[in-house]
Amino acid sequence: MRYLTVILLMLAAGTSFALAQNKTGKEQIAPLYTQVNESLAKGDTTTAHLTLMQLLKLDKPNRSDIYIALGRIAEERRDTNSAETYYKQAIKNNKKSHRAYYSLGSLYYNQAIDILNYTELICVSAPELYTAETGKAVEFLKKALPNLVKGFQLSGNEEIYQPALETVQQIIANHAGK
């Protein structure tokens, strides 16, 4: 059954891509974005991912946003390595994309918080593991902070986000010595 689903998804993506190839320019792109949105609304990240990969070839001016969307799909799938790669590619494509920097910073921040939540459960029973895991969380926070700062600076709303940045700095300070 699983293979049938994969084959049907491949055929559906291939059919829509073949239809898109018969159109020109912007006419190709709009239906693909519609397909991405519809797929995501249904929770179909596979079709959304395949369609976004097609859009990377067709919609060069918006590549950064496409990479961000791919990163968010990867995060939803708990594939943080791919998410990181996509967000870095988004930054490479548009160094002024506040969303790309913010997305990368948020990825690192969320990884740190996941680790810190886990360490709360083991702090008494496994102190050595607690120390090691807390150190990993601090490293993720240190990677998060400059990306969040850059994203907020580029957005022009830096002052609105200052309390959030201070919270990240405080978490780093609280756990740096552990």
Side-chain angles (χ1 to χ4, degrees):
M1 181 65 177
R2 191 171 80 207
Y3 297 109
L4 178 61
T5 304
V6 171
I7 291 169
L8 289 173
L9 288 172
M10 290 170 59
L11 287 172
T15 300
S16 61
F17 185 67
L19 290 172
Q21 285 180 323
N22 293 331
K23 298 179 181 179
T24 59
K26 292 181 182 179
E27 291 176 350
Q28 282 182 300
I29 295 170
L32 291 174
Y33 278 111
T34 300
Q35 183 177 356
V36 169
N37 290 329
E38 289 172 355
S39 298
L40 291 174
K42 294 176 191 173
D44 182 1
T45 58
T46 302
T47 301
H49 181 269
L50 291 170
T51 307
L52 286 166
M53 296 304 285
Q54 293 172 13
L55 281 164
L56 278 176
K57 297 173 187 167
L58 299 171
D59 194 8
K60 292 183 176 156
N62 293 308
R63 276 194 173 161
S64 182
D65 290 332
I66 295 168
Y67 279 118
I68 292 168
L70 287 165
R72 292 200 175 126
I73 289 172
E75 273 193 83
E76 187 174 312
R77 293 176 173 175
R78 311 277 303 152
D79 183 355
T80 56
N81 290 333
S82 292
E84 179 181 30
T85 300
Y86 287 131
Y87 294 144
K88 286 181 176 180
Q89 192 64 40
I91 291 168
K92 183 178 176 183
N93 277 270
N94 182 359
K95 295 199 181 333
K96 294 184 179 184
S97 171
H98 69 279
R99 289 184 303 277
Y101 284 101
Y102 178 77
S103 295
L104 183 59
S106 293
L107 172 71
Y108 294 142
Y109 175 81
N110 291 332
Q111 288 176 290
I113 295 304
D114 286 347
I115 292 170
L116 291 174
N117 287 336
Y118 164 72
T119 61
E120 294 293 320
L121 302 172
I122 62 166
C123 64
V124 175
S125 62
E128 297 85 18
L129 182 58
Y130 170 79
T131 301
E133 292 298 307
T134 301
K136 289 179 189 176
V138 168
E139 291 307 310
F140 277 122
L141 288 169
K142 287 180 180 177
K143 289 168 61 173
L145 193 58
N147 287 290
L148 292 171
V149 168
K150 182 77 172 180
F152 296 149
Q153 287 172 341
L154 290 170
S155 75
N157 295 319
E158 187 178 0
E159 66 283 347
I160 295 172
Y161 299 107
Q162 192 58 40
L165 296 175
E166 289 171 3
T167 300
V168 173
Q169 291 168 328
Q170 187 61 47
I171 294 170
I172 291 171
N174 289 345
H175 291 90
K178 295 182 180 183

